[in-house]
Amino acid sequence: MSLDEIEKADEGIVESGAESSPWLVIYRTLRDEIVSHDLASGARLPSEKQLCDRFSVTRMTVRRALQALQHEGMLIARKGSGVFVRRVPPCYQITDGKRFIDNITAPGDSVLTHTLSIKRERARAEEAEALQLPRGARLIVITRLRLINDEPTFLNVKHLPSSYFQNFDDIYAQRQSVDDVYRHHGIHDYVRKETRITGGFAAEGQAQILGLAAGAPLLLSQSLNEDSAGRRIEHSKGCWPLTAVEFVFPGQRESIDGTIEGFAQ
Amino acid sequence: MSLDEIEKADEGIVESGAESSPWLVIYRTLRDEIVSHDLASGARLPSEKQLCDRFSVTRMTVRRALQALQHEGMLIARKGSGVFVRRVPPCYQITDGKRFIDNITAPGDSVLTHTLSIKRERARAEEAEALQLPRGARLIVITRLRLINDEPTFLNVKHLPSSYFQNFDDIYAQRQSVDDVYRHHGIHDYVRKETRITGGFAAEGQAQILGLAAGAPLLLSQSLNEDSAGRRIEHSKGCWPLTAVEFVFPGQRESIDGTIEGFAQ
DNA sequence: AAGCCTAACCTGTCTAGACAGGTAGCGTGT
DNA sequence: ACACGCTACCTGTCTAGACAGGTTAGGCTT
């Protein structure tokens, strides 16, 4: 991991030895087998009992190791069924921009969007403030799941003021694209007004959708779009498996030939 | 497939207290006592054995609950000593800017910086590329820990090209400020060239310094500063307890009176 | 009074079982 | 051929106890 250097830099303060208790051995062994693709993504692990035999320990010791790997999002256990490899940790780079997720760096990656629900709701305090609407204003609420290379990677809820998008459902049903909805309603240009990033933990529903263990750590993103007239047109919240992505925010003064990157177009 | 939980993404493991196994009851009870300050920050919890008596379960069941709370950074166990409350989860907002951490929103908060080490190293591939230097170039490496309201909150390693800062040690020793070092070397203006954010897990050394359990989830930040001549003067990496901060990135087109926020000055 | 030492206490880890509840596949009966 | 039900297997959780190793405070020695 990229920050292991911090530890190296400070070995004078704390040394992290090559200590090894039985569960740590199991943890490291399985982790290496996952990273090296000896255990393929999606594959089922040997059952806990088989692992007990292999490592000559009891189930609780095996489970200690499996639990750590689940927390890190590498494994997901399905009750009654088995434990499965979830993710070989490549980390996608996301550049903040208008289409948040559409600028995955590697061009060969597949991105699939699943619309889970479209609802109407009334603005609560939070959305009202973010969108600069009165509390109780009508909102369109879209919940979507994005799969990158077939791994569920981004769970997203968008809030849009109903009043700006009278024909939302028709257009969205046709194209599955919020940008097309914008265009159809006369919004041909808009700006990312603000982006926020923090961390949190997966509630049961989120975990299930993302294929993670309940309580798994997440990256949480929030963004706000504004049209050229200064109207707040979208408030979006989303969550990602903790190590699935790296957000890249380019600085403001990237002046090549006089224009400002992220500002032009 | 109810997704409404995404609204309270940073809640904890499970909500809607429908289901309850013994360890979940303990988890929720202790979590509530921490959040409500019945258990003060820094206080020692009753020993595991006492909790066993209180909840009428065995130690493994108590530990199951404690483990979840440790993972979320609310508790930290010290072997031989006890389990202590670490953090009542207020989340500081950090606005990305020149002085990364100096713009904590709440003005009443205390910020204390601890310089852990200052070393000289040779640039490895990563730093060389980031700073646009030849591999093996001389670097100054500063490791610092920042406490916010006495909680260790930000562990940070800065890499600076030695060649730009001949008098680094003297100036830094006097003022403990990298900005002052810049000024003393004629750099009165610089820009945040890029910021990256992702997530990861605490190595043992990091965990100990931050007062977290080993393997606890972290927010990882990376930033790059450039002076007005376009020289890369600083590459900084850091890690934060997952829920300790929220990064706020204002959009580029915040045009008030014709200037671009984050660009002027 | 200062310092050492020991005993009590605490967490970390592991063993060896047990039962509950979910899953999937196999075989039987229709 | 198909549907159903049963069974074997799997993970989730809990019990009851054990030992190892770190911490701390109180008592003893000097």
Side-chain angles (χ1 to χ4, degrees), chain B residues 24-255:
Chain B
L24 254 180
V25 172
I26 302 171
Y27 166 85
R28 278 196 276 253
T29 304
L30 293 179
R31 187 194 56 185
D32 292 347
E33 287 179 10
I34 293 169
V35 171
S36 70
H37 290 77
D38 284 352
L39 287 168
S41 185
R44 214 198 93 183
L45 261 68
S47 75
E48 292 177 354
K49 200 177 179 192
Q50 289 173 292
L51 291 173
C52 292
D53 295 341
R54 173 173 166 193
F55 291 103
S56 304
V57 292
T58 56
R59 249 186 89 206
M60 292 307 280
T61 307
V62 165
R63 285 180 64 78
R64 179 75 176 83
L66 293 181
Q67 204 171 24
L69 290 164
Q70 276 191 68
H71 198 74
E72 297 179 14
M74 289 178 141
L75 296 180
I76 174 67
R78 283 191 260 277
K79 189 173 174 180
S81 179
V83 181
F84 300 82
V85 177
R86 186 195 180 270
R87 162 178 303 283
V88 191
C91 179
Y92 303 105
Q93 289 186 358
I94 307 279
T95 302
D96 189 32
K98 292 179 188 177
R99 301 203 198 84
F100 203 54
I101 198 194
D102 290 341
N103 19 21
I104 309 282
T105 47
D109 294 321
S110 75
V111 178
L112 217 154
T113 304
H114 224 104
T115 302
L116 301 182
S117 73
I118 301 178
K119 299 180 196 169
R120 309 287 160 144
E121 284 178 13
R122 298 287 187 157
R124 287 169 301 123
E126 187 193 350
E127 293 103 36
E129 190 191 1
L131 291 168
Q132 294 181 328
L133 295 173
R135 197 178 302 196
R138 291 169 197 274
L139 299 177
I140 302 165
V141 183
I142 323 169
T143 306
R144 307 195 298 182
L145 175 67
R146 287 195 129 139
L147 312 178
I148 304 183
N149 294 331
D150 299 322
E151 289 276 9
T153 305
F154 180 41
L155 176 57
N156 169 242
V157 177
K158 288 178 185 293
H159 288 253
L160 298 87
S162 285
S163 56
Y164 299 162
F165 305 102
Q166 298 295 338
N167 297 323
F168 182 90
D169 299 77
D170 294 340
I171 311 298
Y172 189 80
Q174 283 174 35
R175 310 291 298 267
Q176 298 283 308
S177 155
V178 175
D179 264 29
D180 281 336
V181 174
Y182 287 172
R183 271 191 286 275
H184 185 270
H185 290 86
I187 298 171
H188 296 278
D189 196 18
Y190 62 95
V191 217
R192 166 75 22 100
K193 168 84 174 157
E194 184 185 85
T195 301
R196 290 167 184 252
I197 297 187
T198 182
F201 298 93
E204 227 169 76
Q206 298 168 2
Q208 203 151 348
I209 294 172
L210 286 171
L212 298 172
L218 300 174
L219 280 177
L220 307 180
S221 63
Q222 235 183 105
S223 65
L224 195 60
N225 285 348
E226 212 176 71
D227 72 4
S228 49
R231 296 184 306 177
R232 308 244 169 126
I233 54 175
E234 176 187 318
H235 178 59
S236 173
K237 291 171 108 174
C239 55
W240 318 66
L242 186 64
T243 60
V245 291
E246 180 178 44
F247 295 98
V248 180
F249 295 89
Q252 282 96 344
R253 199 190 264 183
E254 178 64 298
S255 52

Side-chain angles (χ1 to χ4, degrees), chain A residues 15 46 56 78 106 111 121 142 159 165 181 184 216 219 241 244-245 263:
Chain A
E15 91 271 28
S56 304
R78 283 190 259 278
V111 178
E121 283 179 12
I142 323 169
H159 289 253
F165 306 101
V181 174
H184 185 271
L219 279 178
V245 290
F263 185 53

Side-chain angles (χ1 to χ4, degrees), chain A:
Chain A
M1 170 153 318
S2 56
L3 273 171
D4 277 342
E5 292 94 28
I6 283 184
E7 192 192 356
K8 280 181 202 159
D10 281 350
E11 263 166 354
I13 296 171
V14 183
E15 91 271 28
S16 68
E19 98 181 91
S20 66
S21 54
W23 78 264
L24 253 180
V25 172
I26 302 172
Y27 166 84
R28 279 197 273 252
T29 303
L30 293 178
R31 188 193 55 187
D32 292 348
E33 287 178 12
I34 293 169
V35 171
S36 71
H37 289 78
D38 284 352
L39 287 168
S41 185
R44 213 198 94 183
L45 261 69
S47 74
E48 292 176 354
K49 201 177 177 189
Q50 288 173 292
L51 291 172
C52 293
D53 294 343
R54 174 173 166 193
F55 292 102
S56 304
V57 294
T58 54
R59 250 186 87 208
M60 292 306 281
T61 307
V62 165
R63 285 180 64 78
R64 179 76 177 82
L66 293 180
Q67 203 171 28
L69 290 164
Q70 278 191 67
H71 264 301
E72 298 178 13
M74 289 179 141
L75 296 180
I76 173 67
R78 283 190 259 278
K79 189 173 176 179
S81 179
V83 181
F84 299 82
V85 178
R86 188 196 180 268
R87 161 178 303 283
V88 190
C91 179
Y92 304 104
Q93 288 186 359
I94 307 279
T95 303
D96 191 32
K98 291 177 186 176
R99 301 203 197 83
F100 202 54
I101 199 191
D102 291 341
N103 18 22
I104 308 282
T105 48
D109 294 322
S110 75
V111 178
L112 218 156
T113 304
H114 222 106
T115 302
L116 301 182
S117 75
I118 301 178
K119 300 181 197 168
R120 309 288 160 145
E121 283 179 12
R122 299 287 188 156
R124 289 171 300 124
E126 187 193 348
E127 293 101 36
E129 190 192 0
L131 292 167
Q132 294 182 326
L133 295 172
R135 197 178 304 196
R138 291 170 197 274
L139 299 177
I140 301 165
V141 184
I142 323 169
T143 306
R144 307 195 298 182
L145 176 66
R146 288 196 130 140
L147 312 178
I148 304 183
N149 295 330
D150 299 322
E151 288 278 6
T153 305
F154 180 42
L155 176 58
N156 170 243
V157 178
K158 286 178 186 295
H159 289 253
L160 299 85
S162 285
S163 57
Y164 300 161
F165 306 101
Q166 299 294 339
N167 297 324
F168 182 89
D169 299 77
D170 294 340
I171 312 297
Y172 190 79
Q174 283 174 36
R175 310 291 297 268
Q176 298 284 309
S177 155
V178 176
D179 264 29
D180 281 336
V181 174
Y182 287 171
R183 271 191 286 276
H184 185 271
H185 289 86
I187 298 172
H188 296 277
D189 196 18
Y190 62 94
V191 218
R192 168 73 24 100
K193 168 83 172 156
E194 183 184 85
T195 301
R196 289 168 185 251
I197 297 187
T198 182
F201 298 93
E204 228 170 68
Q206 298 169 358
Q208 201 154 350
I209 294 171
L210 287 172
L212 297 172
L218 301 174
L219 279 178
L220 306 179
S221 63
Q222 235 182 104
S223 64
L224 196 60
N225 285 347
E226 211 175 73
D227 72 5
S228 50
R231 295 184 308 176
R232 308 247 168 124
I233 54 175
E234 177 187 317
H235 179 58
S236 174
K237 291 172 106 171
C239 54
W240 319 66
L242 187 65
T243 60
V245 290
E246 179 179 46
F247 296 97
V248 180
F249 296 88
Q252 282 96 343
R253 198 188 267 184
E254 177 64 297
S255 52
I256 308 170
D257 73 322
T259 64
I260 298 165
E261 190 182 31
F263 185 53
Q265 194 232 16

